[in-house]
Amino acid sequence: MKYVVTLRDKTYEVEVEHGEAMLIDEYEAKAPVPPAAAAPVVAAAPAAAAATPAPVAAGDGTPVTAPMPGNVLKVLVKPGEAVAEGQTVVILEAMKMENEINAPCAGTVKQIVADVGSVVATGDTLVLI
């Protein structure tokens, strides 16, 4: 197998076969060139912003927040529904695993902030109780 390794501003191409390594090439490392911003990327930005949950005022209730970035798979409660402390309210997919997000307190669901299929970041509000 061939490997490209960069150490101390030098790049080495190494081939490893049957436990033995051979140096194939050595050259100065180059800094990666950032990609140029294109017009389609700017046009795609509003669509990504639409998938992000809307910011919620802190005084509106107790937020149930995402403990990690992921995709909202299921919302298991509805506005007006009573929930118990520790009850699962949202299923969040992160790293190919389904994670149960539980209510931090008992109360009534005031608002569903994150929609099914939306992408959330750590700390984003999913539900208000």
Side-chain angles (χ1 to χ4, degrees), residues 70-85:
N71 299 318
V72 177
L73 285 183
K74 296 177 190 172
V75 177
L76 304 174
V77 294
K78 296 177 184 167
E81 183 178 333
V83 294
E85 182 176 350

Side-chain angles (χ1 to χ4, degrees), residues 1-4 13-22 24:
M1 295 196 81
K2 290 185 181 182
Y3 297 94
V4 177
E13 288 184 37
V14 181
E15 185 172 322
V16 179
E17 285 187 23
H18 305 290
E20 293 190 25
M22 294 186 313
I24 297 173

Side-chain angles (χ1 to χ4, degrees), residues 25-107:
D25 197 7
E26 174 184 339
Y27 46 91
E28 289 293 317
K30 294 182 180 178
V33 177
V41 173
V42 175
T52 304
V56 179
D60 291 344
T62 303
V64 178
T65 59
M68 65 198 81
N71 299 318
V72 177
L73 285 183
K74 296 177 190 172
V75 177
L76 304 174
V77 294
K78 296 177 184 167
E81 183 178 333
V83 294
E85 182 176 350
Q87 177 180 339
T88 303
V89 294
V90 174
I91 304 292
L92 184 67
E93 179 199 19
M95 298 185 341
K96 304 290 183 194
M97 294 184 65
E98 292 183 11
N99 300 281
E100 295 179 349
I101 310 304
N102 301 324
C105 63

